[in-house]
Amino acid sequence: MDGEIACACLLLAAQADGSVIETAATAPENVRAAFIRHGAIQCGFCTPGMVVAASDLLRRVPSPSEDDVREGLSGNLCRCTGYQKIVAAVRDAGDGL
Ligand code: FES
């Protein structure tokens, strides 16, 4: 929201009134394509959150290390994955492989 990562589940809609909202659907194409290419797909909560967090990370760190990616996505907790494909997708999108 307005260029900052926000927990959508903790915001009232009124708090976003007049703000610029980015979502997985508006994330850069190369990020979305990398997630698909690497099969980095989780549930309908995890995947959008990770795509948005990855986009934010890549704006700040264009060529992230594995540790950078894991730190950048640390606000997205999924008990269903080891994050391997997700880390690979983010690094690929950032040309960090
Ligand atoms: S895939 Fe969403 S919680 Fe694990």
Side-chain angles (χ1 to χ4, degrees), residues 64-87:
S65 68
E66 180 173 342
D67 286 347
D68 293 333
V69 174
R70 291 187 181 277
E71 173 66 24
L73 300 183
S74 63
N76 299 74
L77 302 176
C78 170
R79 295 173 293 177
C80 315
T81 181
Y83 291 82
Q84 301 296 78
K85 292 179 180 179
I86 295 162
V87 171

Side-chain angles (χ1 to χ4, degrees), residues 24-78:
T26 62
E29 171 61 26
N30 67 315
V31 176
R32 290 184 284 137
F35 270 69
I36 293 168
R37 193 168 49 252
H38 286 270
I41 306 301
Q42 299 301 128
C43 76
F45 297 100
C46 291
T47 301
M50 289 180 187
V51 167
V52 170
S55 300
D56 175 66
L57 171 66
L58 293 170
R59 274 194 293 269
R60 293 181 286 108
V61 185
S63 188
S65 68
E66 180 173 342
D67 286 347
D68 293 333
V69 174
R70 291 187 181 277
E71 173 66 24
L73 300 183
S74 63
N76 299 74
L77 302 176
C78 170

